[in-house]
Coordinates of all heavy atoms in Angstrom, one line a residue:
V196 N 33.6 27.6 4.5 CA 34.0 27.0 3.2 C 32.9 27.0 2.3 O 31.7 27.2 2.7 CB 34.6 25.6 3.4 CG1 35.9 25.6 4.3 CG2 33.5 24.7 4.0
C247 N 9.8 22.8 -0.7 CA 9.3 22.1 0.5 C 10.0 20.7 0.7 O 10.8 20.3 -0.2 CB 7.8 21.8 0.3 SG 7.4 20.6 -1.0
P248 N 9.9 20.1 1.9 CA 10.6 18.8 2.1 C 10.0 17.8 1.2 O 8.9 17.8 0.7 CB 10.2 18.5 3.6 CG 9.7 19.8 4.2 CD 9.1 20.6 3.0
M261 N 2.6 -3.5 -8.0 CA 3.0 -4.6 -8.9 C 4.3 -4.3 -9.6 O 4.6 -4.9 -10.7 CB 1.9 -5.0 -9.8 CG 0.7 -5.6 -9.1 SD -0.7 -6.1 -10.2 CE -1.5 -4.5 -10.4
T276 N 8.0 12.2 -4.1 CA 8.2 11.2 -3.0 C 9.7 10.9 -2.8 O 10.3 10.3 -3.7 CB 7.4 10.0 -3.2 OG1 6.0 10.3 -3.3 CG2 7.6 9.0 -2.1
V279 N 9.5 6.3 1.6 CA 8.3 5.5 1.8 C 8.5 4.6 3.0 O 9.6 4.1 3.3 CB 7.9 4.7 0.6 CG1 7.5 5.5 -0.6 CG2 9.0 3.7 0.2
M286 N 4.7 -9.7 0.6 CA 5.8 -10.6 0.3 C 6.0 -11.6 1.4 O 6.3 -12.7 1.1 CB 7.0 -9.7 0.1 CG 7.0 -8.8 -1.2 SD 7.1 -9.7 -2.7 CE 8.7 -10.5 -2.7
E348 N 1.3 -2.9 10.7 CA -0.1 -2.9 11.1 C -0.5 -4.2 11.9 O -0.5 -5.2 11.3 CB -1.0 -2.6 10.0 CG -0.8 -3.5 8.8 CD -1.7 -3.1 7.6 OE1 -3.0 -3.0 7.9 OE2 -1.3 -3.0 6.5
N364 N 3.9 -11.1 22.3 CA 5.4 -11.2 22.2 C 5.9 -10.3 21.1 O 7.0 -9.7 21.2 CB 5.8 -12.7 21.9 CG 5.7 -13.5 23.2 OD1 5.7 -13.0 24.3 ND2 5.5 -14.8 23.0
G393 N 0.3 -0.2 23.2 CA 1.4 0.5 22.6 C 1.2 0.8 21.1 O 2.2 1.2 20.4
T407 N -11.8 10.9 15.1 CA -11.7 11.8 16.3 C -11.5 11.0 17.5 O -10.7 11.4 18.4 CB -13.0 12.6 16.4 OG1 -13.1 13.5 15.2 CG2 -13.0 13.5 17.6
F444 N -0.5 11.5 5.8 CA -1.1 11.0 4.6 C -0.4 9.6 4.2 O 0.8 9.5 4.3 CB -1.0 11.9 3.4 CG -1.8 13.2 3.5 CD1 -1.2 14.4 3.2 CD2 -3.1 13.1 3.9 CE1 -1.9 15.6 3.4 CE2 -3.9 14.3 4.0 CZ -3.3 15.5 3.7
K494 N 14.6 13.8 8.7 CA 13.7 13.9 7.6 C 12.5 14.7 7.9 O 12.1 14.9 9.0 CB 13.4 12.5 7.1 CG 14.6 11.7 6.5 CD 14.2 10.5 5.8 CE 15.4 9.7 5.3 NZ 16.0 10.5 4.2
V506 N 11.8 19.2 -2.5 CA 11.0 19.3 -3.7 C 10.7 20.7 -4.1 O 10.4 21.5 -3.2 CB 9.6 18.6 -3.4 CG1 8.7 18.7 -4.6 CG2 9.9 17.1 -3.1
I573 N -18.9 -3.2 -2.0 CA -19.2 -1.7 -1.8 C -18.2 -0.9 -2.6 O -17.0 -1.0 -2.3 CB -19.1 -1.3 -0.3 CG1 -20.1 -2.2 0.5 CG2 -19.4 0.1 -0.1 CD1 -20.0 -2.0 2.0
E697 N -0.3 -3.3 -20.0 CA -1.0 -4.6 -19.8 C -2.2 -4.4 -18.8 O -3.2 -5.0 -18.9 CB -0.1 -5.7 -19.4 CG 0.9 -6.0 -20.6 CD 1.8 -7.2 -20.3 OE1 1.8 -7.6 -19.1 OE2 2.5 -7.6 -21.2

Side-chain angles (χ1 to χ4, degrees):
V196 297
C247 68
M261 293 181 278
T276 300
V279 297
M286 292 293 294
E348 52 181 311
N364 286 338
T407 297
F444 294 132
K494 292 188 180 295
V506 176
I573 301 174
E697 293 183 352

